[in-house]
Structures are given as structure tokens and as C-alpha cells.
Amino acid sequence: DRPEPPRALRLSALSGSSLSLAWEPGFDGGLPQHFLLRAEGPDAPPPPAALVTSGFSLTLGGLRPETPYDVTVRARNARGDSAPARLRAVTSALPEAPPPPWEEPPAAPPGGSEDP
């Protein structure tokens, strides 16, 4: 049989350009399975689909900051794909650049000599 959908899809971490996801596998249908992840956001080119061949987590990178993404995860085996598990997640804002360090003027040479 085809595999069952992944369960308990959750966001494990995020940044301005990535989402880290984790899930639990459903029944594999009696065959080896792997997982296919996709993320789609409004006005944002989708990152390439990611294929996970082992494990039950993945970080999707190359995303836009402060953008909502609809993420789907499907299990796949030799008989086909499961129904998708879905999650909506929003990337964070990029951190602001720190202000430039304040520069001290060069110190006067010792002895207090002045130019003539």
C-alpha cells in the first residue's frame, strides 16, 4: 500500500531565511519510504523541493524573511505518495545590522608638541 501521511508535523526552529521542521512517520505501507517537502509563499519563488531519505527532520533554506510559507510533507514509497501533512510558518525578520563602532580620534603623541 501507499504510506500514511506524516504525523505531528511541527516547526522546530526558524530564522529569516530558513524553517526547520520535524515530524513522525506514519505507517510505511510495508515498503521503504522517504519524505518530500515543499514550501510555497506569496510573491516568493519556492525553494526546490527537498527529499529526505533518512530521518524525520529537515531545514528548508533560501526563504525570504518575514514571509508566510505553506509547507507540505508527503511520505513516498514504491506504490506512491501519501496525503500531505500541512503546516503554515512565518520566517522571522532578519536581524538589524549592528551600528558601526564608535571610533576614537587618534591620540596626540606624548610630549604635547605642536606643529610650528
Side-chain angles (χ1 to χ4, degrees):
D1 289 341
R2 293 183 331 172
E4 292 180 354
R7 299 183 309 244
L9 177 60
R10 62 198 173 277
L11 185 64
S12 57
L14 62 87
S15 74
S17 61
S18 68
L19 298 171
S20 295
L21 306 156
W23 62 91
E24 296 172 16
F27 176 62
D28 62 11
L31 297 167
Q33 70 178 348
H34 50 269
F35 300 92
L36 184 65
L37 285 80
R38 292 188 187 274
E40 295 180 3
D43 300 324
L51 182 66
V52 179
T53 58
S54 64
F56 311 113
S57 64
L58 181 76
T59 297
L60 292 171
L63 307 179
R64 288 190 178 169
E66 296 183 285
T67 302
Y69 284 89
D70 292 315
V71 179
T72 59
V73 180
R74 294 177 187 267
R76 178 178 283 177
N77 68 16
R79 303 261 175 154
D81 291 356
S82 72
R86 297 180 187 277
L87 173 77
R88 177 164 264 217
V90 180
T91 51
S92 64
L94 288 176
E96 291 183 22
W102 186 45
E103 295 182 15
E104 294 280 336
S113 62
E114 295 182 14
D115 290 335

